[in-house]
Amino acid sequence: MWDLLSRLLILGLLFTSGVCKDSPDDDIPPTTTIIDILSSNANFSKILLSLQRSDLVDYINELQNVTFLAPLNLAFPDDQFYLDLSQNDVSRHMIDQPVDADDVCGLGVYRTLFVNTSLSPEGVQQPILLDNRDDLFLADNAIVTEQYDVRSSNSVVYGVSSFLERHKSACDFFADIADADPVFAQYQIIARLFSDNEFCATRKITNVTFLVPSDASVGLNKIELTYLNTDEGLEDKTRLLESHAVAGIWGGRLEPVSTKTLANQKIRISSNSEGSNIKVQNTSSTFSNYLLSDGIVHLYDSILLENSVPVFTPRKYLLGLGLTSVVNQLDFHKLSSLIDDRDVNQTIFVTESAESTESKSSLLYHFVDGRVEFDRDELLTTKYCSSSVLGHCQKLKVMKRGDQVSLNNNVFVTSPKIRVGNTYIYYVDEDLTLPLPFQHAVSPFLRCAKSIKLLHDFGLLKFRNNSGLGYTVFLPNADAWRGLDLVLDYLYANRGVMLEILGNLIVNGLIYDDFQGSATLATLLDKPLEVESVSDTLYINGTAVDVSIESEVLFDKGVAHPIERLVFPATVQVGVPELLSTVDGEEFLKVLKLLRLDHLLYEDYSFIVPSSRSMRLENLTSELPNLARLEKFARLHILPAGGMEKVIECNDTVPTLLENVHLSCRELTSGISMLSVREGNDREVRVLRQGLAINCGDTATGILLVDRSVNPDWLSGSRGPIHLHLPFVALLIGVVIGMLLLAVGASCCLVCSVGKQTPVSGETAPLLRAHERLENPTPPNSPPPNETQSYSNYYSTHSSSRPIDVDQP
């Protein structure tokens, strides 16, 4: 631009431009050729010399009905008097018709003699733009000076301030659009589509007017552009580009003309502002008349023709994402309708690489009804609808934790939503597998192995067709079974009751975590089961259970819910008598019957039960004649209504049936509970096991198995001297032992007293007689005379055998 202005200032001092007025030619003598015009004007000396040196004079003289834009000496470098020129260089400055300056008002597009044969065999004459506005006459970027008529050849010569710039071909221009004039910065999309995959060159797009809309108006994103450059998108791409191209070079000052685009769409082209604005239909250009060697470009800020931009469907987006194999599989399984309608309200989950062959069922499991925003935990309905056992479309579990979204607990969403029409597409980190069979679907982390084994042992895991209702399994976890304790022993011993309970856990019908309202369903054993949702809490036969989407298990035939409480059918009754049958409580039951307290087993009472063995070891059975004490013992082991709950809570005041006597509970760090008499000493018993009666009223009743009895002697009134209550046989044995001990003591005293008297022979002699050597020891070197030294002298005189004389040789 600055170069143009500087040239303008210089030429303004030398020449006068023509603006719709007659050129002064009265002083120019008649000439016959263009060469004569150049020769008669010193300002053309360099171009004349260049033509002579390039042997182009004859070529120039042969031309007729042309306009020669002859470069002035100013156009040449200062240190050069001529240039080597080719015929094409000259042809680029030759307009194929004589142009009078009076006829150029505003902008006009003309054709030169230079033929561009790069793409089309027949060639295209390169266009040139003449701009005669604002007291300035321009040919492309060069300033035009005086006009000289060549009357003999009906031609015109103009002086120009510079050589005309070489224009790029359309294909080269679009290929280098990123480096083009900044005015094209917001018009890149259509331009790049022309150059991608050599679209322009392979179709020999030339002699064309390009009507280029802005990127914002086209609105193609990266996925759509990628699709248009695939083999499958070629048809859409061709129609899009041909809708923005018109055969021929239309620009400058135009009379309204009706023509067609290369896509055979009718279009009306006109101009205003002296040809500086090209209108298509009723849309004006934002920039126009950008010349190429074989075309012209006009820019617009809106789409010119309706339906010129392709309608994008899920299929096209999948192709744009590079998921051709998924599209092929959908077509193979005749599921094309899922991706050919942009108005379908759905969500599709895809992986970045899906080359494996998918089954029809697996493909359908990746399609979900509705547009998913992932703003909460929820169950989604997929388009996999089994016609066998599961009579509805399979579900897909969504859990949102912070910014992380998981599907079925182990597949994670890895991309924002990709929207096409009413369809959302999400990337996931791995393929979504169909729900597994029940045994494989339940995770070990849910701790339901015992329930699964019991269901398997009782043959309840064969989910057959149930008229499309599907199955719901309420699956007790390890805590639920552990909490039963003695009840579980009873169930193991009564398989019929166990079967009734297990069958109650499997329901014909589907109950998901989002269940609302109430329903009566049939269990696997054809028993009714009441299900009701109240304030997000699920009640099964009146028992509250916690179900959540997090622990919910989807399997091929339905849904499973791990629960922490075992749900019993109304027909199952496990009372205190049944629980007593599971422990060693015969002696305790015998005491209750003796005292006629056994009727309390069927009322709202709980019992602390010592084993029969411990009662026998503590000789409690010997108290049968002492009914008063025995009743005191029994009542101390019976808890009134509410007492069992206090023990479970390990309360420090637990009432008993014994008046004004309470028990106190203490829990060890190991979790074991210890019971003691609150109004007694500090003796304790250990709670070994417990069992709560089932369906026997609103009050919790049951039994507590303890390691020993709660002794009535531990009460406060029994503190002080220890009183032994021993049976008669034990007392008799004690008397006998006492008499024996007394006799032994008397004998010892007698022996001691007799030993101090003179020894006598016979029956009154002591069993052991002191030897005189022992009574009167003498030195070993002076034995008594005439007495033999012998061991027999120390031996008892009452021995039945004589001693052996060890001194004899």
Side-chain angles (χ1 to χ4, degrees):
M1 180 64 73
W2 289 110
D3 182 59
L4 179 60
L5 292 176
S6 63
R7 292 172 182 267
L8 177 61
L9 292 174
I10 296 172
L11 290 173
L13 298 175
L14 301 175
F15 305 100
T16 302
S17 62
V19 182
C20 295
K21 63 181 179 180
D22 295 334
S23 299
D25 56 359
D26 296 336
D27 297 332
I28 301 176
T31 56
T32 58
T33 64
I34 294 175
I35 295 299
D36 291 337
I37 295 292
L38 299 179
S39 301
S40 63
N41 194 324
N43 289 316
F44 294 120
S45 61
K46 290 187 177 182
I47 187 62
L48 180 60
L49 182 60
S50 297
L51 293 173
Q52 292 172 345
R53 293 295 183 93
S54 301
D55 198 20
L56 293 174
V57 172
D58 292 339
Y59 168 72
I60 296 296
N61 284 330
E62 293 174 357
L63 296 176
Q64 293 184 1
N65 299 316
V66 295
T67 298
F68 182 33
L69 302 174
L72 298 166
N73 292 340
L74 180 67
F76 288 79
D78 294 338
D79 58 347
Q80 286 185 304
F81 294 99
Y82 70 94
L83 293 175
D84 289 330
L85 302 175
S86 67
Q87 183 175 320
N88 285 340
D89 294 331
V90 176
S91 298
R92 193 176 288 109
H93 288 74
M94 292 288 183
I95 299 176
D96 65 352
Q97 66 184 62
V99 178
D100 193 287
D102 291 341
D103 298 330
V104 181
C105 294
L107 287 87
V109 176
Y110 299 85
R111 295 180 182 272
T112 67
L113 295 181
F114 175 72
V115 177
N116 182 358
T117 58
S118 59
L119 295 177
S120 178
E122 62 273 12
V124 177
Q125 290 178 257
Q126 178 172 302
I128 187 171
L129 182 67
L130 299 183
D131 183 359
N132 195 359
R133 297 176 301 168
D134 303 328
D135 298 328
L136 186 65
F137 192 6
L138 298 175
D140 282 357
N141 64 321
I143 299 172
V144 179
T145 65
E146 293 182 274
Q147 172 180 331
Y148 303 93
D149 293 333
V150 184
R151 295 174 181 176
S152 61
S153 60
N154 193 29
S155 298
V156 177
V157 175
Y158 288 101
V160 292
S161 62
S162 62
F163 282 90
L164 301 181
E165 289 186 355
R166 295 174 180 269
H167 296 306
K168 291 184 177 180
S169 67
C171 294
D172 291 339
F173 168 75
F174 288 130
D176 299 331
I177 189 67
D179 301 323
D181 193 286
V183 73
F184 293 99
Q186 304 301 321
Y187 300 84
Q188 301 277 308
I189 290 179
I190 294 295
R192 288 178 177 172
L193 284 174
F194 272 111
S195 62
D196 287 341
N197 298 339
E198 297 185 348
F199 180 90
C200 179
T202 54
R203 281 159 180 76
K204 299 182 179 180
I205 296 177
T206 188
N207 193 28
V208 170
T209 298
F210 298 95
L211 310 173
V212 180
S214 65
D215 297 346
S217 62
V218 177
L220 298 178
N221 58 39
K222 183 177 180 181
I223 298 172
E224 294 165 345
L225 289 172
T226 303
Y227 158 74
L228 292 174
N229 286 314
T230 62
D231 292 340
E232 296 83 356
L234 181 58
E235 182 178 347
D236 281 332
K237 177 179 177 179
T238 301
R239 179 172 178 79
L240 171 63
L241 296 182
E242 289 183 348
S243 296
H244 292 86
V246 179
I249 299 175
W250 302 90
R253 194 162 188 167
L254 294 172
E255 293 296 328
V257 59
S258 294
T259 183
K260 290 184 178 181
T261 65
L262 297 183
N264 203 31
Q265 300 162 305
K266 291 182 179 180
I267 195 171
R268 181 178 177 82
I269 302 177
S270 61
S271 67
N272 55 25
S273 300
E274 297 182 297
S276 63
N277 191 310
I278 305 301
K279 295 181 65 175
V280 176
Q281 310 297 64
N282 293 317
T283 303
S284 298
S285 63
T286 56
F287 181 82
S288 59
N289 300 312
Y290 187 88
L291 289 182
L292 306 172
S293 66
D294 53 355
I296 190 170
V297 178
H298 308 297
L299 305 182
Y300 298 85
D301 279 346
S302 62
I303 294 295
L304 302 176
L305 298 174
E306 294 182 0
N307 304 322
S308 59
V309 177
V311 175
F312 288 93
T313 61
R315 170 189 294 273
K316 296 175 182 180
Y317 262 56
L318 292 175
L319 292 171
L321 292 170
L323 301 174
T324 307
S325 62
V326 175
V327 174
N328 292 338
Q329 291 166 25
L330 289 168
D331 290 340
F332 176 78
H333 291 292
K334 299 180 180 180
L335 298 175
S336 303
S337 59
L338 294 176
I339 56 175
D340 286 335
D341 187 354
R342 64 182 277 112
D343 294 326
V344 176
N345 225 340
Q346 64 182 355
T347 299
I348 307 173
F349 297 104
V350 296
T351 57
E352 293 186 4
S353 175
E355 298 298 332
S356 60
T357 301
E358 300 281 356
S359 65
K360 182 176 181 179
S361 300
S362 180
L363 287 170
L364 289 171
Y365 195 60
H366 289 74
F367 288 78
V368 172
D369 288 335
R371 293 175 295 180
V372 183
E373 297 286 354
F374 295 129
D375 52 2
R376 58 190 174 90
D377 294 349
E378 60 180 322
L379 285 176
L380 307 177
T381 301
T382 71
K383 294 188 178 181
Y384 167 52
C385 305
S386 173
S387 60
S388 56
V389 176
L390 193 63
H392 82 304
C393 296
Q394 186 58 266
K395 299 288 186 177
L396 186 66
K397 181 166 62 173
V398 173
M399 289 193 299
K400 181 177 176 62
R401 297 295 178 267
D403 294 333
Q404 192 175 65
V405 176
S406 66
L407 306 178
N408 288 351
N409 296 327
N410 59 353
V411 176
F412 294 92
V413 178
T414 59
S415 74
K417 66 185 176 187
I418 302 169
R419 182 170 184 173
V420 48
N422 285 331
T423 295
Y424 287 173
I425 300 175
Y426 290 96
Y427 273 117
V428 291
D429 64 342
E430 59 181 88
D431 203 19
L432 283 170
T433 58
L434 291 172
L436 299 172
F438 177 79
Q439 297 94 320
H440 303 294
V442 180
S443 169
F445 295 105
L446 297 176
R447 302 184 303 122
C448 297
K450 180 186 286 291
S451 295
I452 295 175
K453 185 178 186 306
L454 287 172
L455 291 172
H456 178 269
D457 292 344
F458 280 82
L460 299 177
L461 293 182
K462 297 178 180 179
F463 299 104
R464 297 180 175 86
N465 195 315
N466 60 353
S467 301
L469 296 176
Y471 291 93
T472 299
V473 182
F474 295 103
L475 204 58
N477 62 15
D479 294 334
W481 293 108
R482 188 183 300 112
L484 295 178
D485 204 352
L486 293 175
V487 176
L488 185 58
D489 289 355
Y490 174 80
L491 297 180
Y492 278 141
N494 296 270
R495 290 182 59 86
V497 180
M498 177 69 88
L499 176 61
E500 192 171 354
I501 292 173
L502 293 175
N504 189 65
L505 299 175
I506 304 177
V507 182
N508 291 296
L510 297 167
I511 301 295
Y512 292 100
D513 72 282
D514 57 357
F515 174 81
Q516 297 295 325
S518 60
T520 300
L521 305 177
T523 67
L524 202 62
L525 301 180
D526 202 25
K527 303 291 184 181
L529 185 135
E530 301 289 336
V531 180
E532 183 179 11
S533 178
V534 179
S535 300
D536 296 330
T537 300
L538 192 66
Y539 290 86
I540 305 174
N541 282 350
T543 301
V545 295
D546 291 329
V547 297
S548 67
I549 190 172
E550 187 168 4
S551 60
E552 194 170 35
V553 178
L554 303 176
F555 65 97
D556 59 342
K557 304 297 190 304
V559 60
H561 298 282
I563 54 178
E564 296 181 353
R565 296 182 63 183
L566 189 64
V567 179
F568 292 89
T571 55
V572 172
Q573 300 286 334
V574 181
V576 172
E578 287 79 14
L579 295 175
L580 273 175
S581 68
T582 64
V583 298
D584 181 20
E586 292 83 0
E587 292 294 327
F588 183 75
L589 186 59
K590 186 188 298 182
V591 171
L592 294 180
K593 290 180 179 180
L594 177 65
L595 299 174
R596 296 184 179 181
L597 296 175
D598 54 327
H599 67 92
L600 299 179
L601 296 171
Y602 303 94
E603 301 178 15
D604 292 338
Y605 291 90
S606 299
F607 298 85
I608 300 173
V609 182
S611 67
S612 297
R613 183 172 180 273
S614 67
M615 290 180 64
R616 286 192 291 266
L617 289 176
E618 296 179 62
N619 296 316
L620 289 172
T621 54
S622 65
E623 297 289 334
L624 295 179
N626 190 352
L627 293 181
R629 186 173 184 278
L630 201 59
E631 184 172 0
K632 196 174 183 180
F633 161 81
R635 290 183 177 274
L636 194 58
H637 287 75
I638 301 176
L639 307 179
M644 191 66 174
E645 295 176 350
K646 292 182 178 295
V647 174
I648 294 174
E649 297 171 358
C650 206
N651 202 301
D652 62 350
T653 303
V654 181
T656 67
L657 204 59
L658 187 60
E659 187 176 0
N660 297 326
V661 177
H662 302 80
L663 299 179
S664 180
C665 178
R666 180 174 67 91
E667 187 174 1
L668 304 179
T669 55
S670 60
I672 296 174
S673 296
M674 306 294 292
L675 298 177
S676 62
V677 180
R678 184 176 178 80
E679 292 82 5
N681 55 31
D682 57 356
R683 301 288 185 87
E684 293 180 317
V685 298
R686 185 193 306 266
V687 178
L688 301 178
R689 301 181 67 184
Q690 70 177 25
L692 293 177
I694 304 300
N695 293 333
C696 292
D698 297 332
T699 304
T701 60
I703 67 173
L704 298 169
L705 182 64
V706 293
D707 60 345
R708 57 183 297 191
S709 303
V710 181
N711 201 316
D713 294 338
W714 298 349
L715 294 174
S716 299
S718 300
R719 292 179 180 176
I722 299 176
H723 299 277
L724 297 177
H725 298 273
L726 300 173
F728 176 76
V729 175
L731 182 63
L732 181 60
I733 293 174
V735 171
V736 173
I737 293 175
M739 293 179 64
L740 289 176
L741 291 176
L742 182 62
V744 171
S747 299
C748 290
C749 292
L750 181 61
V751 170
C752 292
S753 61
V754 172
K756 295 180 180 180
Q757 299 177 0
T758 304
V760 291
S761 61
E763 295 295 331
T764 60
L767 292 176
L768 292 177
R769 183 177 59 183
H771 197 274
E772 60 181 353
R773 294 262 181 102
L774 297 176
E775 294 292 339
N776 300 303
T778 57
N781 294 329
S782 56
N786 303 324
E787 186 172 348
T788 306
Q789 188 91 354
S790 174
Y791 176 77
S792 62
N793 294 329
Y794 300 97
Y795 206 73
S796 172
T797 57
H798 294 273
S799 175
S800 61
S801 61
R802 300 301 301 167
I804 299 173
D805 190 358
V806 296
D807 294 330
Q808 295 297 327

